[in-house]
Amino acid sequence: MAGVVKLYAAYKSGYLGSNILDTYFSFMANMISEEHLTVVEDDVIADKFKTRYNMELPLPFIRQILGVGIQNGSFVEDHGKYSVVVNELAKYRFSETDFNKLWNQLINEFATYCRTQDIDISSLDISAFVAGILDDTDEKILSGEKVNEQDGMASSEYGWYSFIKEQGELKTELYSFVSALAASNIVKQALFFAGETAADYSDLHVYLDSPIVFALLGMDDPSRTESYQQLVADMRKARCSVHVLDHNFNEVDGIITRAAGWANDTSYDLRKANNAARFFHDSQMDETEISEFCRNIEAKLNGLGVTKKETNYDAFQEKFQEDEKCLFNMVQDRYEDHGYELSSEKQESIRVDVRSIIMIYRERQGQTATRLQNAKHIMLTSNNAIANVSKKYESNRSLQSGHIPACISADLFGAILWLDSPMQLLEYQKKKLLADCYAFLKPDAEMLDKYIRSLDEARNADVIDEKTFLFLRTHKVVLDSLMDITKGDYARFNSNTYLEVYEDIQEKAQKKYKDEVAAHTQTQEKLKKLEKDSSDEIETLKARISVMEDKEKNDFEKKVSILGWIMTLALAGFPYLLLGVGIEMIKMLFSTVSLLSAYVIAGAIIATTIDGVLFEKEKKWCFEKARSILEKRLKNSSGKSSDDL
């Protein structure tokens, strides 16, 4: 197991190349280098790969990996053998140190989480437990129903899924790591279905089962809805035609219609509600909104790229008809092997799935394929039991092995679609794993029945009021608290569990309120500090601007003064000086006392006064002109700077 985990952990965590062939080549490079091989052959490499990594790869795929080595210069092909170019091959080796570090961190943090949750795992080999639960998860969840539910859930399993859910909600590196590990078996299967990866699936018609349709409509955990919407969108990009068969559509439509009539009824309780009823109830839709939703189901699917396929199923058709009864019995046996007694509702759901498989065979009209892109028609299911039975049925009916069955899991189809896009596969797996955790951490039917019965008894005994009773019987938060209190273990349940649930909900609500108040207070304090800091910065900036403006103003005034005096001296100063000198010379010529001298001197004085007045006016005009010239230059300079910007 450890070798397989390491293989896929490295691949899915994105340590290595951009596609699956690059990734496997890196493992091959490690193996060849460590064994000091100089010449290799495809069958020998296949055997060594199986021995080292506990994984059997088909020879065509081994040859594709060896082809990567030829392209990058690590191998030289010679009549079916591959000579190793040691120095080139060394460039493609990788270290497993990162994996070991994350694996140990996962084990340690899971153990710490269990201690904080009072979950006893002292008798567990934690590493083996985690490796095993990663392998077994797909078998534990069959269409949202858990195996052997009459036995309850082991506390260690509750601890694991609760721990992973928390990691997923926090989007930690460990969650990415676990998501990478969780799809290892799916990718291994994908290798046998895909062959060389293909970007164009234009000849492939894909049909969705009812649970996938419910999820696409939002009637599931949001993370599962997002994962299936991502899958359908990428199928459309790859040019697949995506459909829902008419009888599947009718099943979905009927269940939704029945749920719509009950979701807002006063008799609604968590024990009887299916996903559709919970969707309407928890969304708090009124009757008008529910009716509108029901009318637009097909339009909503069309908006996602999914069309309804009319088949007019004829139960008596003999051409290309498969054994419907045999298929049903095989599915029923599969459930019974896992401890189920099928209810009448579940039997009807299985008949719809079996009918879908029959229709796929009719659409194929006897054609078979060994590669998905050549299969023409295929059904996708979220139910691994149906997928496994379909695979077994195809194996029983085919003379040759390796034919694509009529139905495969949606996860397997996604793995094939994204073989050369590991990061998209990882994103899908993250959403799916979180959705699986939410599904696994919901109380099963037996636990809910115990809870509702104890609640009814308490109400009949008038121990709780009507308002509390209705809340505890209908609100979705009850599901999480019930699991947190009991850890999924029936032995922890007692007649007062409903009170513990109510107290747990109140405590969580108060904590949430306190956290929100604390967060609000912290935000307000940050805003006040930011406002104060901003105010201080603004005042500082204003002061700086004021100083700069004063300096610029003083510099400008100095320039005006200099230019003004230059213009004054040039235009008015020289004439004023000549006139003044002339007047003084006239005064000297008429220095003797006489009437004429008196008139001349008086005229000189008047002329001097007029000259002074004219000089001041000229000076004022020169300074204004200087200011105007400098202001115009400044404006032109600013305009050029703006244009440059």
Side-chain angles (χ1 to χ4, degrees):
M1 173 64 194
V4 174
V5 169
K6 289 183 179 183
L7 175 64
Y8 287 111
Y11 158 46
K12 301 276 272 305
S13 296
Y15 302 154
L16 306 176
S18 61
N19 62 58
I20 195 168
L21 294 175
D22 289 340
T23 299
Y24 277 88
F25 180 76
S26 295
F27 283 95
M28 187 180 288
N30 275 18
M31 181 177 65
I32 292 172
S33 297
E34 290 174 15
E35 296 192 18
H36 305 290
L37 301 177
T38 56
V39 177
V40 296
E41 298 179 58
D42 50 13
D43 55 344
V44 175
I45 286 293
D47 290 339
K48 287 183 176 294
F49 214 94
K50 181 179 180 180
T51 302
R52 182 182 178 95
Y53 296 118
N54 190 27
M55 181 169 208
E56 186 173 354
L57 296 177
L59 280 178
F61 189 71
I62 288 287
R63 294 185 189 113
Q64 289 181 58
I65 301 170
L66 291 168
V68 172
I70 294 173
Q71 291 175 5
N72 64 33
S74 298
F75 298 140
V76 176
E77 186 179 11
D78 182 19
H79 299 91
K81 296 183 179 181
Y82 300 83
S83 298
V84 179
V85 182
V86 178
N87 293 336
E88 285 297 318
L89 187 69
K91 296 177 182 178
Y92 299 94
R93 297 185 62 186
F94 75 98
S95 170
E96 298 181 7
T97 303
D98 288 341
F99 169 82
N100 292 329
K101 176 185 174 184
L102 284 168
W103 179 262
N104 292 332
Q105 182 183 347
L106 175 64
I107 300 305
N108 292 334
E109 291 197 19
F110 172 57
T112 301
Y113 178 84
C114 288
R115 285 195 295 271
T116 61
Q117 297 296 313
D118 193 27
I119 297 172
D120 183 14
I121 57 171
S122 58
S123 61
L124 283 183
D125 178 338
I126 301 177
S127 185
F129 168 77
V130 172
I133 204 168
L134 287 169
D135 253 2
D136 296 342
T137 297
D138 289 339
E139 293 297 330
K140 289 181 179 297
I141 301 177
L142 303 173
S143 292
E145 298 171 282
K146 295 184 282 293
V147 180
N148 296 326
E149 67 175 26
Q150 68 269 21
D151 296 331
M153 181 191 296
S155 58
S156 56
E157 290 183 343
Y158 168 83
W160 170 256
Y161 288 105
S162 182
F163 168 67
I164 295 304
K165 183 189 78 168
E166 181 179 279
Q167 295 292 315
E169 291 171 342
L170 295 174
K171 298 181 179 179
T172 64
E173 183 185 15
L174 270 187
Y175 185 71
S176 296
F177 181 65
V178 174
S179 299
L181 300 179
S184 60
N185 289 332
I186 296 170
V187 176
K188 182 170 67 174
Q189 293 177 52
L191 300 178
F192 292 88
F193 284 96
E196 293 187 16
T197 56
D200 187 354
Y201 290 83
S202 54
D203 292 332
L204 186 63
H205 293 267
V206 181
Y207 305 87
L208 309 177
D209 76 348
S210 300
I212 295 177
V213 174
F214 280 118
L216 289 173
L217 293 171
M219 295 180 171
D220 207 319
D221 181 80
S223 54
R224 196 180 302 281
T225 294
E226 290 172 9
S227 67
Y228 284 141
Q229 287 179 351
Q230 176 191 344
L231 179 60
V232 169
D234 284 354
M235 283 195 288
R236 298 287 297 156
K237 288 179 184 177
R239 302 179 66 189
C240 294
S241 298
V242 187
H243 314 280
V244 54
L245 294 167
D246 50 4
H247 55 270
N248 280 107
F249 181 88
N250 293 336
E251 179 189 31
V252 170
D253 188 54
I255 290 173
I256 290 177
T257 301
R258 291 191 295 274
W262 183 63
N264 291 334
D265 194 279
T266 54
S267 62
Y268 174 89
D269 71 51
L270 295 166
R271 172 181 48 181
K272 300 175 183 177
N274 57 25
N275 282 350
R278 286 175 183 165
F279 171 77
F280 288 132
H281 180 272
D282 296 344
S283 299
Q284 298 183 332
M285 291 186 182
D286 57 30
E287 291 184 6
T288 302
E289 291 170 324
I290 292 175
S291 297
E292 183 179 358
F293 185 98
C294 293
R295 286 196 302 271
N296 293 322
I297 292 174
E298 187 171 355
K300 289 178 184 293
L301 291 174
N302 292 163
L304 295 170
V306 181
T307 59
K308 183 170 71 171
K309 169 84 171 183
E310 298 290 348
T311 63
N312 300 316
Y313 182 80
D314 182 1
F316 299 102
Q317 178 177 326
E318 295 183 359
K319 193 173 183 180
F320 304 119
Q321 176 67 23
E322 297 296 326
D323 192 335
E324 193 167 340
K325 184 177 180 181
C326 174
L327 265 169
F328 179 86
N329 290 338
M330 287 174 70
V331 176
Q332 184 172 255
D333 291 345
R334 177 79 178 181
Y335 273 90
E336 289 177 354
D337 288 344
H338 287 285
Y340 280 120
E341 288 186 13
L342 296 176
S343 64
S344 57
E345 292 84 358
K346 190 62 183 176
Q347 288 183 28
E348 183 58 33
S349 177
I350 291 173
R351 286 191 177 92
V352 171
D353 289 330
V354 168
R355 181 173 296 180
S356 298
I357 293 173
I358 297 296
M359 287 308 306
I360 300 302
Y361 279 117
R362 289 184 183 180
E363 290 292 329
R364 288 182 174 180
Q365 298 185 351
Q367 295 180 343
T368 58
T370 57
R371 293 289 176 258
L372 180 64
Q373 50 266 42
N374 302 324
K376 300 295 184 181
H377 300 272
I378 195 160
M379 173 186 169
L380 299 191
T381 181
S382 60
N383 186 333
N384 289 313
I386 299 294
N388 288 330
V389 165
S390 181
K391 181 179 178 181
K392 184 177 180 181
Y393 181 83
E394 176 63 33
S395 177
N396 291 343
R397 72 184 287 278
S398 299
L399 296 177
Q400 297 178 348
S401 61
H403 286 168
I404 302 295
C407 177
I408 64 173
S409 76
D411 295 341
L412 176 57
F413 187 93
I416 298 167
L417 188 66
W418 296 313
L419 275 176
D420 58 355
S421 303
M423 295 315 296
Q424 284 180 273
L425 179 56
L426 181 56
E427 285 305 308
Y428 172 83
Q429 185 60 31
K430 285 180 181 178
K431 295 170 185 174
K432 175 195 174 288
L433 178 61
L434 189 58
D436 286 348
C437 286
Y438 284 130
F440 203 79
L441 290 170
K442 282 186 172 64
D444 57 35
E446 179 67 21
M447 179 70 77
L448 273 176
D449 190 59
K450 288 176 179 286
Y451 169 76
I452 295 296
R453 279 192 277 113
S454 69
L455 200 58
D456 288 340
E457 291 170 3
R459 181 62 188 134
N460 292 335
D462 206 24
V463 176
I464 57 173
D465 58 48
E466 182 72 12
K467 183 178 179 181
T468 304
F469 170 71
L470 290 174
F471 173 82
L472 290 175
R473 193 183 69 179
T474 62
H475 204 288
K476 62 181 180 180
V477 297
V478 167
L479 300 175
D480 292 334
S481 288
L482 180 58
M483 286 298 286
D484 289 343
I485 295 299
T486 63
K487 305 291 189 287
D489 184 357
Y490 297 164
R492 292 178 181 244
F493 190 91
N494 59 65
S495 59
N496 290 320
T497 296
Y498 74 91
L499 289 175
E500 296 178 65
V501 168
Y502 189 60
E503 290 169 0
D504 182 66
I505 293 171
Q506 285 185 313
E507 184 179 335
K508 287 176 181 175
Q510 289 173 358
K511 183 180 183 303
K512 183 179 179 182
Y513 173 74
K514 289 178 181 178
D515 290 344
E516 288 176 350
V517 169
H520 178 71
T521 302
Q522 189 176 15
T523 301
Q524 291 298 315
E525 289 175 354
K526 287 181 179 178
L527 287 173
K528 287 179 181 178
K529 186 177 183 302
L530 183 61
E531 185 178 348
K532 182 179 181 302
D533 292 344
S534 299
S535 178
D536 292 343
E537 288 179 6
I538 290 170
E539 291 302 321
T540 302
L541 186 59
K542 283 181 178 179
R544 289 179 180 175
I545 292 172
S546 178
V547 171
M548 290 174 64
E549 287 178 345
D550 289 343
K551 186 176 182 301
E552 289 177 358
K553 184 177 180 181
N554 291 335
D555 290 344
F556 182 77
E557 291 300 330
K558 286 180 182 179
K559 290 178 181 179
V560 170
S561 178
I562 293 170
L563 184 58
W565 277 113
I566 291 172
M567 293 176 66
T568 299
L569 291 173
L571 299 176
F574 187 67
Y576 176 77
L577 181 62
L578 289 177
L579 184 59
V581 171
I583 290 172
E584 290 300 321
M585 289 177 68
I586 290 171
K587 286 181 181 180
M588 289 175 64
L589 290 173
F590 295 91
S591 58
T592 58
V593 178
S594 66
L595 184 60
L596 179 60
S597 299
Y599 283 131
V600 170
I601 292 171
I605 292 171
I606 292 170
T608 302
T609 303
I610 292 171
D611 189 34
V613 171
L614 290 174
F615 177 79
E616 288 299 327
K617 286 186 177 182
E618 287 289 333
K619 177 186 172 185
K620 181 179 180 183
W621 181 87
C622 288
F623 271 76
E624 289 176 352
K625 189 64 176 178
R627 184 179 297 278
S628 175
I629 291 170
L630 290 174
E631 286 177 346
K632 188 175 181 180
R633 286 181 181 176
L634 185 63
K635 184 178 180 181
N636 290 338
S637 176
S638 299
K640 287 181 179 179
S641 299
S642 299
D643 292 340
D644 292 341
L645 292 174

